[in-house]
Amino acid sequence: MTFEGFPVAALDFYDDLEVDNTKSFWEAHKDVYAESVKAPMQALCAALEPEFGAAKIFRPYRDVRFAKDKTPYKTHQGAFVAAGPSMGWYVELSPRGVRVGAGFYEAAGERLAAIRDAIDDDKTGPALRRALARLEKDGFEIGGAQLKTSPRGYDADHPRIALLRHKQIIAGKPYGFEKVIHTPEVLEMIRADWRTLKPLVIWLTRAVDGVPGPATPRR
């Protein structure tokens, strides 16, 4: 299947699902999901695969075993290309349109320590800060969960303390409801943005090179 854009029906589907997140609604509209959401996402990922690698397209079902929110279905469709442990590129379709991003969504123990070591380093730390500044200039929002205080072993007056507090670093850009998301042109926009995000992904993978961890999201 050639990627032709995400149809309007895909956004309408998620608008309705947010209002009626039930099995009965899903069963009545699962053909819309298959044709207007899943198939275009598969085509998009197939077009990007030669350059970035195979994507994991997330299942539409929520894991509600330990959640207070028992609604059964996700109200977005995401796909993730792993470049290393818990890090890589992301694209998402939701009622708010299309969004792209990259970074690391989870790090603990040795991997988080390795990232902080690289931020602390007087060569690699400034390189990350410059890369993030360039991404902000290109319209990306820099986010991710952070500690409220300084991580253990680092002084509050460290020149890169704001980065050291990060438990995640995610650079994202929304396309929203722009008409282009319904056309094949959005593929090249995503490709260009993922290329722009590549220095961040490379920095992160080098920081944790050799440190074991999960290679793909568990979401």
Side-chain angles (χ1 to χ4, degrees):
M1 178 180 177
T2 302
F3 179 72
E4 299 293 343
F6 292 104
V8 174
L11 300 183
D12 291 342
F13 170 81
Y14 279 120
D15 276 334
D16 293 339
L17 184 62
E18 283 195 329
V19 175
D20 187 8
N21 197 321
T22 62
K23 184 176 181 180
S24 59
F25 173 85
W26 184 269
E27 290 297 322
H29 298 85
K30 61 183 179 182
D31 58 327
V32 179
Y33 168 78
E35 296 171 9
S36 299
V37 177
K38 186 177 180 179
M41 185 63 80
Q42 289 174 325
L44 172 69
C45 292
L48 294 167
E49 182 174 349
E51 181 172 353
F52 297 96
K56 175 185 176 70
I57 298 176
F58 297 117
R59 290 163 52 86
Y61 313 106
R62 296 182 63 247
D63 184 353
V64 300
R65 289 173 297 174
F66 307 107
K68 292 182 180 179
D69 179 4
K70 298 298 183 182
T71 51
Y73 304 103
K74 298 174 185 174
T75 54
H76 63 273
Q77 177 63 70
F80 181 84
V81 176
S86 305
M87 59 186 63
W89 293 270
Y90 184 70
V91 60
E92 178 183 284
L93 173 70
S94 77
R96 286 151 289 285
V98 174
R99 182 177 181 85
V100 296
F104 79 93
Y105 67 90
E106 187 275 333
E110 292 182 31
R111 286 182 294 117
L112 184 56
I115 289 170
R116 286 180 175 155
D117 284 346
I119 293 171
D120 180 49
D121 184 272
D122 286 335
K123 181 178 180 181
T124 54
L128 174 62
R129 188 157 59 184
R130 289 193 298 270
L132 294 175
R134 285 193 294 269
L135 288 173
E136 287 184 305
K137 188 176 180 180
D138 287 334
F140 289 89
E141 303 164 353
I142 309 301
Q146 303 179 45
L147 296 173
K148 293 182 179 179
T149 59
S150 303
R152 187 176 301 173
Y154 295 98
D155 294 333
D157 61 354
H158 190 288
R160 291 176 293 282
I161 192 60
L163 286 175
L164 288 166
R165 290 193 181 109
H166 275 267
K167 296 187 291 183
Q168 302 170 320
I169 296 178
I170 299 169
K173 178 189 286 187
Y175 297 166
F177 305 109
E178 295 294 329
K179 291 182 180 179
V180 70
I181 71 171
H182 306 304
T183 74
E185 294 175 36
V186 75
L187 165 61
E188 295 310 318
M189 292 172 60
I190 295 169
R191 191 192 307 276
D193 279 337
W194 279 14
R195 287 173 177 169
T196 301
L197 289 159
K198 198 167 188 176
L200 171 61
V201 175
I202 290 173
W203 189 97
L204 291 167
T205 55
R206 287 176 176 171
V208 299
D209 185 34
V211 180
T216 56
R218 289 169 292 188
R219 291 178 289 174

